[in-house]
Amino acid sequence: MEGDQKVNSTSPAPAAEPAMMIEEWNGTSSTKLTKTATITSTSHSSISIQRSSNAFTHISQRILQAFVPEGYPTSVTPDYFPFQVWDSLQGLSTYVRMMLSTQALLSAIGVGEKSATVIGATFQWFLRDLTGMLGGVLFTCYQGSNLDSKAKMWRLVADLMNDLGMLMDLVSPLFPSAFVFIVCIGSLSRSFTGVASGATRAALTQHFALENNAADIAAKEGSQETLATMIGMALGMLLARLTIGHSFAIWISFLSLTMFHMYANYKAVCCLSLNTLNCERCSIVLSHFLKTGQVLSPKQVSSMEHVLPLLMTSWNLKGGDCLYKQVRLGVRISSLDSLALVDLLQSAGSHYKKEKYLLQQKGGIIRIITHKDSAGADILQSFIHALVMAKLDDRDGSMSSESQSWMDKHYEVFILKLQSSGWKTERLLSSSVVWRANWLVDYSDGKHD
C-alpha cells in the first residue's frame, strides 16, 4: 500500500554477562586462612569449581583445631608453644610411671592374693583418699594466696610432689608393716599437686590468653592432656608387662622417667615469660632501671628469676636481685615497738601525707603498713618505694627524704616505661595483705588529712 512505511525494527544484541568469581577460605583467624576453592561463573548455566586443597589437608586441619586454640598462633603469647611441648612430654612420662606405681600399690593392697579381703583393701584405699582430701584443704588454707604470685615455682613444686607420691606407691610393697603410713604420705603429696597444679594452670591460662580466649585454651589443654594420657597409658602397660617380676628393671625405668620428668618440668617453667609483677620480678626490673634508666622486658626477666623453691636458692643464683627479701608487706602495726611507732607517726605527717601507705625501716628491713583504703596500684607503689629505700641502704632513716624525692621525680616515668615494655602495672602479685591501718594527720589549722 502506498501509505505504508517500512520500519527497521532490528533490536541491539544483549550485552555479555560479566564473569563472576567467588573464593572460599577456611580458617579460624583472619591472619591464618587457607583458600580451599574458587567458584567461577560466566553465565547462568556455566559454573566451574576449582578446589585448592585436598580432603586430607582439610581433615588434618580439623584435627589440629581440636588441640590448638582458635586463631593460633596470634591468639596466644609466644611462650605458649614451647611450654606446651615440654608440659606434654612431662605429662607423658607421668602416665607411663603411673602404671608402674599403680601396679605396685595394687600388689601391696593384696590384689590377686587369696588371703586378701575386700573390706581390708577398701578400708586402706579409703584411708589413703581421706588423707589426700584433708591435705588438699590444709594446703589451700596456708598457701592458696601465694599461688598467683609464685606460679612458676609452685608449678614446679606441684610436679615434684607428684613424683614423691608415685615413689611412695612404688616403695609401699617393700614395707608391709608401714604400708598404710607410706601410702598416706603419697596421697598427701599428690593432694598438694592437685591444688597447686590446678591453681597455677588457671593463672597460666590467663597469661596465654591474648583475645579473652581463656576458656578455649583450657579446653584445648584438656584435649592435649587426654592424648598424652592415652599414649602414656599404652606405653605404661607395655612397660609394666615387660618389667613384671623384675624389680631392678622397674626401678631403673621409674627413676629414669622421673629424672626426665623433672627436667621437662624445669624447661617448661623456664619457657614462661610472665608479664605480671610479683615481688622478685619487680625487684629485678627496678634494680636494672636504677642502674641504666631502662626497663627489662618480661622475656629478659624470665631468664633471671628463680623458679626452684626458696630452700634451693642458695645454689640457684642466676643474677636475680634479692632486694625484695628486705621488704615486709602488710605489717601489723600493733606488732611494732614503741620507738618504731613514734617514728612511724612522725613520718605520717612529713613524708607520706598523700600516700596510702607508711614505711618503717629498722635493721635493714623495710616494713610496709598499708592504708585500709589502698588499692592494687597503691600497694605496687608502696612496694617500689620500699625497694628504692632498700637500694639506698637507708639503715638509720636518714635517707627517707631521698627515697621520697626519687619517687616524686621518677616513679611516673618508671611506670610508663613498664607499660611500654609489656608489663601489667595494675597490681602487685603478692601474698594477701590482711593487716591494714588508718591514720589521721592533725594540723594546726584544724584540717585533717
Side-chain angles (χ1 to χ4, degrees):
M1 296 178 60
E2 188 175 349
D4 292 340
Q5 295 181 359
K6 190 174 183 179
V7 180
N8 186 0
S9 59
T10 303
S11 59
E17 295 181 2
M20 294 293 295
M21 184 178 66
I22 300 177
E23 294 179 342
E24 179 185 73
W25 292 77
N26 177 260
T28 57
S29 172
S30 58
T31 59
K32 195 74 173 179
L33 295 174
T34 302
K35 186 166 71 172
T36 57
T38 302
I39 303 172
T40 306
S41 173
T42 56
S43 65
H44 288 292
S45 59
S46 177
I47 296 177
S48 64
I49 301 177
Q50 182 180 2
R51 301 193 182 278
S52 304
S53 61
N54 54 38
F56 175 78
T57 303
H58 180 68
I59 293 174
S60 63
Q61 289 177 346
R62 296 295 296 177
I63 294 175
L64 186 62
Q65 289 173 8
F67 296 97
V68 297
E70 183 177 342
Y72 175 85
T74 57
S75 62
V76 293
T77 56
D79 54 355
Y80 174 81
F81 179 75
F83 175 81
Q84 291 302 124
V85 169
W86 285 109
D87 189 55
S88 298
L89 289 174
Q90 66 87 15
L92 184 64
S93 67
T94 296
Y95 301 125
V96 174
R97 289 177 303 142
M98 192 177 296
M99 297 302 297
L100 297 177
S101 61
T102 302
Q103 184 184 50
L105 180 61
L106 293 176
S107 174
I109 290 177
V111 174
E113 295 183 6
K114 295 181 180 180
S115 59
T117 62
V118 175
I119 189 65
T122 303
F123 175 75
Q124 292 172 346
W125 202 272
F126 169 77
L127 190 60
R128 169 181 174 268
D129 288 348
L130 179 63
T131 304
M133 295 175 189
L134 294 176
V137 173
L138 291 175
F139 180 79
T140 303
C141 178
Y142 285 99
Q143 292 295 338
S145 61
N146 291 326
L147 297 177
D148 268 321
S149 60
K150 300 176 182 177
K152 294 172 72 171
M153 186 196 77
W154 281 114
R155 179 72 182 180
L156 190 60
V157 170
D159 286 293
L160 293 177
M161 297 302 291
N162 192 38
D163 291 339
L164 178 61
M166 284 190 287
L167 179 63
M168 292 296 101
D169 290 344
L170 196 63
V171 167
S172 60
L174 303 179
F175 303 95
S177 60
F179 169 76
V180 174
F181 176 76
I182 293 174
V183 296
C184 286
I185 293 295
S187 181
L188 194 64
S189 299
R190 275 191 296 273
S191 70
F192 297 164
T193 300
V195 174
S197 180
T200 54
R201 168 54 66 180
L204 296 181
T205 299
Q206 291 293 336
H207 161 70
F208 292 137
L210 292 180
E211 299 179 357
N212 295 322
N213 56 341
D216 183 35
I217 293 176
K220 301 306 167 58
E221 165 71 16
S223 297
Q224 296 167 15
E225 187 172 350
T226 299
L227 180 61
T229 302
M230 292 189 295
I231 297 175
M233 289 175 64
L235 294 176
M237 287 188 291
L238 177 61
L239 182 61
R241 180 69 177 174
L242 294 175
T243 59
I244 188 170
H246 300 84
S247 300
F248 182 75
I250 292 175
W251 278 99
I252 290 296
S253 301
F254 181 85
L255 294 177
S256 299
L257 288 169
T258 300
M259 293 298 293
F260 174 76
H261 177 256
M262 294 170 63
Y263 175 76
N265 269 294
Y266 180 76
K267 293 294 291 183
V269 296
C270 286
C271 291
L272 294 171
S273 300
L274 302 182
N275 58 355
T276 50
L277 289 169
N278 65 2
C279 295
E280 183 180 8
R281 289 192 284 272
C282 190
S283 178
I284 294 172
V285 173
L286 179 65
S287 294
H288 186 80
F289 180 78
L290 290 173
K291 294 176 183 177
T292 66
Q294 302 298 320
V295 170
L296 295 171
S297 67
K299 186 175 182 179
Q300 291 173 314
V301 173
S302 67
S303 63
M304 302 171 66
E305 63 177 325
H306 300 136
V307 295
L308 293 177
L310 295 178
L311 296 177
M312 303 180 183
T313 55
S314 58
W315 57 273
N316 183 38
L317 297 176
K318 296 162 51 179
D321 198 285
C322 298
L323 281 179
Y324 67 98
K325 294 183 179 180
Q326 299 176 236
V327 179
R328 303 290 182 269
L329 179 61
V331 173
R332 185 180 182 181
I333 195 167
S334 61
S335 66
L336 302 178
D337 57 40
S338 57
L339 293 178
L341 286 173
V342 171
D343 179 63
L344 202 63
L345 291 173
Q346 292 177 349
S347 62
S350 56
H351 298 296
Y352 309 106
K353 295 179 183 178
K354 300 179 181 180
E355 313 300 349
K356 292 185 178 180
Y357 61 88
L358 299 174
L359 300 182
Q360 195 275 333
Q361 188 177 34
K362 183 178 180 181
I365 301 298
I366 296 92
R367 299 172 178 84
I368 302 175
I369 294 90
T370 58
H371 195 274
K372 71 179 185 68
D373 298 327
S374 59
D378 299 312
I379 293 177
L380 175 62
Q381 180 179 348
S382 69
F383 192 79
I384 292 175
H385 194 162
L387 291 177
V388 172
M389 188 176 289
K391 192 68 176 178
L392 294 174
D393 198 21
D394 180 18
R395 297 188 180 278
D396 58 0
S398 61
M399 292 186 181
S400 294
S401 58
E402 187 175 344
S403 64
Q404 183 63 55
S405 176
W406 188 94
M407 292 292 292
D408 294 338
K409 294 179 181 178
H410 303 289
Y411 179 71
E412 294 296 333
V413 176
F414 178 57
I415 293 296
L416 291 175
K417 287 191 174 184
L418 284 174
Q419 294 171 349
S420 63
S421 297
W423 292 99
K424 294 182 178 179
T425 59
E426 296 84 7
R427 57 177 293 221
L428 174 75
L429 291 180
S430 64
S431 302
S432 298
V433 179
V434 297
W435 293 107
R436 295 173 182 256
N438 186 31
W439 51 89
L440 299 172
V441 181
D442 191 6
Y443 294 97
S444 58
D445 58 1
K447 294 182 179 181
H448 292 78
D449 189 10

